Amino acid sequence: MAVSTQTEQHPALADVVAAFEDVYPTSWAASWDRVGLVVGDPADRIARVLFAVDPVEAVVDEAVTWGADLIVTHHPLMLRGVHSVAADTPKGRIVHRLIRAGIALYTAHTNADTAAPGVSDALARAVGLTGPLRPLEPDTTDPDGRRGIGRVGALDAPMTLRDFAARVAAGLPATAPGVRAAGDLDRLVTTVAVSGGAGDSLLDAARAAGVDAFVTSDLRHHPASEFTERPGAPALIDTPHFAGEWPWLADGAAALADSLVRRLGPDGANVEARVSTTVTDAWSQAFPSA
């Protein structure tokens, strides 16, 4: 069970959700997405919040051990429709464990992607982009032009693709697959596009942006191969999906703390947040070719 630290001094889950959605409104999510409160009683009091990328068993283990009352994940548990949450199914097992432990689950996915700052802003800073950032694929509903998927920015000084790829690897959590690069390793990189999560659909946008390199995840062989054959195409850096989105967790936790203070005042924002360090990348081991 979660640690029994819930008192009237701690905000209700409903207030925590409202404060978080002040920063990441669910209306910003893509039409196909499933965001918001997944498990939990809005009347429950929240003392500890664990931020994680994936709603998986290892993260629930961490939440139970720490005594979290709420887990905020980037990836949805129920993205695709299910007809059962029986405990002998993977999703059902998570739901049952959370309910038994008194732990709520909340998802902020594409609404956190498009936010400004959002997932890609955190990725951009983690890999060394400085100065102003602009959306790679702007959200046409934003009159200020700040929101959107992906970001475009610049390094503080040009460096080779080889050195930039090493910087990307150093700026992200270590995973078994590591970071991959496609392109001339000696080409100079100054301007960069980034996008947390799968970036196949943004290849043309990256090329149109005229950047030197595009950092994203889950690039497939054929699109990447064809893309790098095009004259003037940016170099590609492929990061593990988990690693590319993990930097946002600290930003999300800080945003929640600030929003709780604005909504409830200092006395009502008595919530402790922690960023999960559990590596939940799907690939647990890489075996180099002989």
Side-chain angles (χ1 to χ4, degrees), residues 37-119:
L37 187 63
V38 181
V39 173
D41 183 340
D44 283 349
R45 297 282 163 176
I46 303 300
R48 287 182 168 182
V49 183
L50 179 68
F51 280 76
V53 176
D54 298 296
V56 295
E57 292 274 2
V59 168
V60 177
D61 290 342
E62 183 180 358
V64 170
T65 299
W66 181 49
D69 306 297
L70 168 64
I71 303 172
V72 175
T73 63
H74 182 52
H75 290 148
L77 178 65
M78 303 291 187
L79 181 59
R80 294 177 177 82
V82 297
H83 301 286
S84 169
V85 289
D88 59 354
T89 65
K91 294 181 186 298
R93 187 162 54 250
I94 295 291
V95 170
H96 280 261
R97 287 195 64 195
L98 291 171
I99 292 173
R100 288 185 183 128
I103 301 173
L105 174 64
Y106 185 93
T107 295
H109 193 211
T110 51
N111 51 326
D113 286 330
T114 195
V119 171

Side-chain angles (χ1 to χ4, degrees), residues 151-192:
R151 292 294 182 268
V152 177
L155 298 169
D156 52 4
M159 63 178 60
T160 65
L161 177 61
R162 178 183 290 101
D163 290 340
F164 179 55
R167 175 182 281 193
V168 171
L172 299 179
T175 55
V179 169
R180 304 184 296 179
D184 180 358
L185 293 177
D186 292 321
R187 76 177 288 176
L188 286 180
V189 174
T190 301
T191 57
V192 178

Side-chain angles (χ1 to χ4, degrees), residues 19-39:
F20 199 60
E21 291 179 355
D22 284 344
V23 184
Y24 305 107
T26 57
S27 61
W28 290 353
S31 59
W32 52 263
D33 204 3
R34 298 293 180 266
V35 300
L37 187 63
V38 181
V39 173

